[in-house]
Amino acid sequence: MRILFVGDVVGNAGQEMIATYLPQLKQKYHPQVTIVNGENATRGRGIDQIVYKHLLQQGADVVSMGNHTWDNPAIENFIQDAPRLIRPANFSAGQVPGQGFTLVKVNTIEVAVINLQGRVFMNPSDDPFAVAEDLLTRIKKRTKVIIVDFHAETTSEKEAFAWCFDGQVSAVLGTHTHVQTNDARILPDGTAFLSDVGMTGPYDGILGMQRGNVIKRFINQMPTRFEVAEDGRKTLGACVIELNDTTGKATKIQAVQINPDHPFIS
């Protein structure tokens, strides 16, 4: 089985890259399941129903979220009726709407996709390690193919999570920092790992935002409104995982990057 995962979609620029390249990526790699992180997809902060449906129409099977889940209040109006939209499972249990994981049927096999958020330098949330243990107790009764979108700030927390659950999940894929890392690998017990898949959106911004305001913030430490750098060149960060659908073990992980320096080659 092959899984395609696309990193944080940022604003209109990210949506344009999805519309242009996701169908081409699917044609090239023929994934059975495609996951897209969409937590910045609507104007760079959260997601609304129109954009959620647009991502599905372009080929996403699951849309995952992160720390900006509630930044667009419109999500509360539809998240309960969006079975392919998942927010971090370690948001306060029973207190917030939505779901932390979903199951996608591929022939006779179910693929579980879990969304979790880290706690280091992030807004308060429940312990992702404990929540994962509880979820896996239930999910492993149905499938061994389990993909985790671990939305976190620090590489150390992402690595710790991957090593902790090596052999229990098929892949731990980091999101949130918007810069694709060069550490894609298969851990000893069969879990694919990548610290950060990267982002999909403005190539010449700073993490997708307009450079000027970000630079001013660092220089004068004054509050500044960050705006998506919609104009200019664009990028797409993704990865492809191959796994054994009987054991759930990963056999290969390949980072994918499309930008002016790495043009798409079909």
Side-chain angles (χ1 to χ4, degrees), residues 112-233:
V113 185
I114 302 173
N115 196 186
L116 290 164
Q117 180 175 295
R119 295 196 294 181
V120 181
F121 304 134
M122 301 286 278
N123 292 333
S125 62
D126 295 341
D127 179 2
F129 291 80
V131 171
E133 287 278 8
D134 179 63
L135 285 177
L136 291 176
T137 299
R138 291 181 281 152
I139 292 172
K140 286 194 287 188
K141 294 177 181 178
R142 299 183 61 167
T143 183
K144 293 182 180 179
V145 181
I146 304 168
I147 309 297
V148 179
D149 174 351
F150 195 69
H151 198 80
E153 187 74 47
T154 66
T155 302
S156 58
E157 188 176 20
K158 294 175 183 180
E159 286 191 338
F161 186 90
W163 280 103
C164 180
F165 292 98
D166 180 24
Q168 299 187 58
V169 300
S170 305
V172 174
L173 306 173
T175 56
H176 177 65
T177 59
H178 289 205
V179 177
Q180 189 178 90
T181 52
N182 189 30
D183 60 346
R185 55 178 164 159
I186 306 295
L187 299 183
D189 288 331
T191 294
F193 174 66
L194 180 59
S195 288
D196 203 279
V197 179
M199 75 165 190
T200 299
Y203 181 63
D204 292 318
I206 296 176
L207 306 185
M209 299 295 121
Q210 294 176 6
R211 299 190 302 272
N213 286 347
V214 178
I215 293 169
K216 286 180 182 178
R217 176 73 172 269
F218 279 107
I219 291 174
N220 59 30
Q221 300 294 298
M222 296 292 290
T224 304
R225 181 177 177 83
F226 292 165
E227 301 285 352
V228 178
E230 296 288 10
D231 298 328
R233 301 183 295 175

Side-chain angles (χ1 to χ4, degrees), residues 57-82:
Q57 289 166 359
Q58 296 301 324
D61 297 301
V62 178
V63 177
S64 57
M65 298 295 284
N67 61 301
H68 292 303
T69 297
W70 311 120
D71 284 8
N72 191 318
I75 193 173
E76 296 183 43
N77 298 326
F78 72 93
I79 190 171
Q80 289 290 83
D81 300 314

